[in-house]
Amino acid sequence: MIRSGSSGAGAYLASRSLFPLGVRWLQRKVTGSTVANQDTRAFKRFLESNSIDAVLAEYGPTAVSVMEACRQAGVPLIAQFHGYDAYRESLLAELEGSYRQLFHNAAAVVGVSTHMCEQLTRLGAHESKLFHNACGAEVSDEPASLQECAATFLMVGRLVEKKAPFVSILAFAELLKQVPDARLEIIGDGPLKTPCAQLAKALSVDDRITFSGAQPHDYVLKAMKQASGFLQHSVRAPDGDMEGTPVGVLEAMGMSLPVVSTRHGGIRDIITEGETGLLVDEYDAKGMAAALIQVATKPEYAKRLGEQARARVLQNWTTEKSVERLWEIIQNSV
């Protein structure tokens, strides 16, 4: 089985290694062929010469780039969508026809949330070929040990519009009015980092918020072990982009952290409100603040949310279980 990278690099690397660049350029000049056509022919030969049984393409555009080679080689193609590739309006307009062809040709189409599967159906995916498989998370053997009086919250992820970090900062500022010793660490970089820092300063809460920037995974896990709660205010971005199943939320749940998030995308699949986390409507800063106050002032309740969240992740959403479900989909498609 060939697994294509998110940008299609896996497929294209395999094909380009088969032809010296000079030969490929000369062929295009003589035959009028395109790079895409040459890549398709080369990848088809690669599939046939290596007796590939199936191709898993991560992200819709990658699947589009390899679907013709798979069709010509008679190799089943499994297309897995993750987020922007199912929602971003400009991309959907650009690939509308290609996606419909992909849905016709693919042996299986996988979405990582029930909301995404509904979206893929609207885009033309056949229900008989459509499968839901949530992402999985690596679960630590040592969950966070919540301190009863601590109010240390954590955000992890790129600071982009679909994470709505402004709303989280506004909610945290409201929390500080009732829990003045609370702290928030924001791990991640992105185009909204500087505006977020400016907002924190304007609200006079910059001394209670730490912007740690992008950090390695080991740092994130250590920060989770020291936190008492996790927040992520995911929303539908102005360009239509949405979350699939946020792995950061799953990792926090697996660490026994009480999570405060939104009724958005795949988050609704993995959090049962009031049982394994707290959810609010998108852009509801006051609602998020109220949820943070519950976590910060009701330690026993917060601990119970975290313990139930960890149990649910271990039962359904570990990396191993996600891979097992995906492997079953692939095997049934061959």
Side-chain angles (χ1 to χ4, degrees):
M1 180 182 70
I2 290 293
R3 181 185 175 105
S4 295
S6 62
S7 66
Y12 284 120
L13 180 61
S15 66
R16 284 174 180 161
S17 66
L18 301 177
F19 285 100
L21 291 178
V23 174
R24 289 163 58 83
W25 177 84
L26 182 60
Q27 285 182 328
R28 290 198 300 272
K29 281 292 186 180
V30 172
T31 65
S33 180
T34 64
V35 173
N37 289 339
Q38 286 187 336
D39 283 338
T40 292
R41 289 195 296 270
F43 191 50
K44 172 179 177 288
R45 284 192 291 271
F46 178 86
L47 295 174
E48 293 171 338
S49 63
N50 288 276
S51 300
I52 301 299
D53 295 318
V55 171
L56 170 64
E58 305 266 17
Y59 295 87
T62 302
V64 167
S65 72
V66 301
M67 68 176 173
E68 181 58 22
C70 292
R71 186 192 68 80
Q72 292 180 17
V75 175
L77 171 62
I78 297 88
Q80 179 160 265
F81 288 73
H82 285 273
Y84 82 93
D85 50 345
Y87 293 112
R88 187 174 294 161
E89 293 168 358
S90 59
L91 182 69
L92 298 183
E94 177 187 348
L95 296 180
E96 180 181 6
S98 297
Y99 270 9
R100 289 193 175 276
Q101 187 178 355
L102 171 65
F103 297 146
H104 176 76
N105 291 342
V109 177
V110 182
V112 297
S113 73
T114 54
H115 187 278
M116 184 179 293
C117 287
E118 293 168 1
Q119 168 73 351
L120 292 171
T121 299
R122 287 191 288 270
L123 294 175
H126 303 282
E127 290 188 6
S128 60
K129 295 182 178 181
L130 189 58
F131 299 88
H132 169 222
N133 181 35
C135 299
E138 298 290 340
V139 180
S140 172
D141 293 333
E142 299 179 13
S145 55
L146 306 184
Q147 301 177 27
E148 287 197 5
C149 297
T152 302
F153 289 90
L154 185 66
M155 282 172 55
V156 179
R158 275 185 52 76
L159 300 179
V160 294
E161 289 179 318
K162 71 178 177 181
K163 303 286 188 183
F166 296 146
V167 182
S168 293
I169 292 172
L170 289 170
F172 179 74
E174 287 296 313
L175 167 68
L176 287 172
K177 294 177 181 178
Q178 295 198 33
V179 188
D181 63 338
R183 294 201 63 87
L184 171 63
E185 180 177 7
I186 300 176
I187 299 176
D189 213 333
L192 298 183
K193 182 180 178 182
T194 297
C196 283
Q198 292 173 328
L199 175 62
K201 189 172 183 64
L203 295 170
S204 299
V205 299
D206 50 312
D207 61 328
R208 309 305 300 171
I209 300 178
T210 301
F211 290 90
S212 298
Q215 296 291 339
H217 193 242
D218 288 347
Y219 180 98
V220 174
L221 293 180
K222 183 177 179 180
M224 285 185 175
K225 288 181 181 180
Q226 297 171 346
S228 54
F230 185 92
L231 61 152
Q232 180 165 318
H233 198 98
S234 297
V235 302
R236 184 180 186 272
D239 65 356
D241 196 7
M242 290 182 63
E243 301 274 14
T245 303
V247 175
V249 171
L250 283 173
E251 288 186 337
M253 294 171 67
M255 197 67 78
S256 293
L257 287 177
V259 174
V260 177
S261 192
T262 49
R263 300 180 183 102
H264 170 91
I267 296 171
R268 292 173 295 182
D269 294 332
I270 59 178
I271 291 182
T272 302
E273 294 190 41
E275 182 178 331
T276 60
L278 299 176
L279 300 181
V280 303
D281 288 338
E282 295 182 18
Y283 296 104
D284 183 2
K286 290 185 177 179
M288 174 161 258
L292 293 176
I293 291 169
Q294 285 196 66
V295 172
T297 62
K298 299 179 179 179
E300 289 302 318
Y301 177 54
K303 182 179 181 182
R304 185 166 68 253
L305 286 176
E307 289 174 345
Q308 291 172 167
R310 177 177 170 86
R312 194 68 58 84
V313 170
L314 288 171
Q315 181 181 7
N316 296 297
W317 297 303
T318 62
T319 299
E320 292 77 12
K321 290 186 179 297
S322 180
V323 170
E324 287 174 5
R325 291 190 296 265
L326 183 58
W327 182 238
E328 183 177 357
I329 292 169
I330 293 170
Q331 287 182 307
N332 290 337
S333 301
V334 176

